[in-house]
């Protein structure tokens, strides 16, 4: 049984946009916010290691399983989900889920490509972060897929874009204003 009073925010952005760091920052300083990074949740699943290493999308059945688990026992009334949906297939899956009724807003953190590439290289969390060509390919894939997602949620009037080129703390403050007004 799902609670009725959840606000769900999707935080989207290209690799290196800061979406996970910003969302984590907000959940740390606001006890009523829970943060979920779809990328982090998927990387915890050993059976997906090869799929994710090759920059492929996780099977939708696993995405659905993760989403259902999150909504089975929500920790807080406000949920930030970063990195989801990543493509049209995931978008359509979510639109058919019961948890869709909680979606309040979709926020895209827009960052110049050069800044994304610098941040990816600087964070150096995974080996692929240091591979410039791989990062450029990841960005191109994001730009291709985000158009369908952007258009879909713009048509529903729940899509916002924000400038993510500033330092992470400034962008986190701006996102916080998007959520709390």
């Amino acid at each position: 049984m799902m609670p009725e009073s959840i606000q769900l925010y999707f935080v989207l952005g290209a690799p290196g946009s800061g979406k996970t760091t910003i969302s984590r920052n907000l959940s740390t300083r606001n006890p009523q916010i829970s943060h979920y990074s779809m990328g982090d949740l998927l990387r915890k699943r050993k059976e997906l290691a090869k799929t994710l290493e090759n920059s492929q999308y996780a099977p939708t059945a696993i995405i659905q399983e993760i989403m259902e688990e999150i909504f089975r026992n929500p920790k807080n009334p406000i949920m930030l989900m970063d990195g989801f949906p990543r493509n049209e297939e995931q978008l359509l899956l979510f639109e058919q889920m019961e948890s869709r009724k909680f979606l309040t807003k979709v926020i895209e953190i827009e960052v110049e490509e050069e800044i994304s590439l610098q941040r990816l290289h600087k964070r150096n969390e995974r080996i692929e972060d240091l591979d410039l060509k791989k990062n450029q390919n990841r960005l191109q894939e994001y730009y291709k897929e985000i158009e369908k997602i952007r258009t879909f949620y713009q048509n529903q009037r729940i899509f916002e874009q924000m400038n993510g080129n500033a330092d992470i703390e400034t962008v986190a403050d701006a996102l916080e204003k998007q959520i709390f007004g």
Side-chain angles (χ1 to χ4, degrees):
M1 178 90 173
M2 287 191 202
E4 296 300 319
S5 61
I6 293 175
Q7 294 176 31
L8 173 62
Y9 294 85
F10 286 158
V11 181
L12 306 177
S17 65
K19 62 190 169 291
T20 301
T21 304
I22 291 163
S23 297
R24 191 175 294 134
N25 178 313
L26 280 185
S27 70
T28 299
R29 66 187 189 191
N30 292 288
Q32 67 271 39
I33 296 177
S34 293
H35 166 244
Y36 302 91
S37 167
M38 185 58 76
D40 289 350
L41 294 168
L42 291 169
R43 280 186 286 280
K44 288 179 183 177
R45 300 185 77 130
K46 302 290 184 227
E47 75 270 21
L48 294 177
K50 208 55 151 168
T51 300
L52 299 175
E53 189 177 298
N54 292 326
S55 298
Q56 297 172 330
Y57 294 116
T60 54
I62 292 177
I63 299 280
Q64 183 171 2
E65 184 181 307
I66 289 170
M67 292 296 286
E68 287 171 352
E69 177 62 31
I70 289 169
F71 283 96
R72 202 169 292 127
N73 297 301
K75 296 178 182 113
N76 294 304
I78 300 173
M79 300 170 75
L80 301 181
M81 170 70 68
D82 83 67
F84 179 84
R86 292 279 308 268
N87 59 28
E88 187 176 27
E89 184 179 10
Q90 292 177 7
L91 169 105
L92 295 173
L93 167 75
F94 177 74
E95 286 297 312
Q96 295 178 22
M97 296 179 72
E98 185 181 354
S99 53
R100 167 56 179 99
K101 66 184 176 187
F102 301 121
L103 186 59
T104 305
K105 193 180 283 188
V106 178
I107 302 167
E108 180 185 15
I109 299 173
E110 287 192 300
V111 178
E112 294 172 17
E113 186 172 334
E114 189 57 38
I115 291 173
S116 284
L117 291 170
Q118 288 170 1
R119 287 180 181 170
L120 285 169
H121 188 76
K122 184 179 175 185
R123 80 177 181 190
N124 190 17
E125 289 176 358
R126 297 181 301 276
I127 192 71
E128 64 263 23
D129 289 343
L130 298 175
D131 186 332
L132 178 62
K133 185 69 176 155
K134 198 173 231 183
N135 287 334
Q136 289 170 327
N137 290 340
R138 290 168 64 200
L139 288 173
Q140 291 313 307
E141 180 69 19
Y142 172 79
Y143 297 139
K144 182 181 90 176
E145 294 291 346
I146 193 62
E147 277 306 312
K148 296 171 195 146
I149 296 165
R150 187 183 291 142
T151 300
F152 184 85
Y153 288 121
Q154 281 174 335
N155 288 340
Q156 294 186 18
R157 304 200 187 295
I158 60 169
F159 188 86
E160 300 278 336
Q161 290 175 306
M162 57 185 295
N163 185 330
N165 291 323
D167 64 272
I168 294 296
E169 196 63 36
T170 301
V171 180
D173 290 345
L175 180 57
E176 188 170 37
K177 285 180 184 147
Q178 287 272 354
I179 294 168
F180 293 109

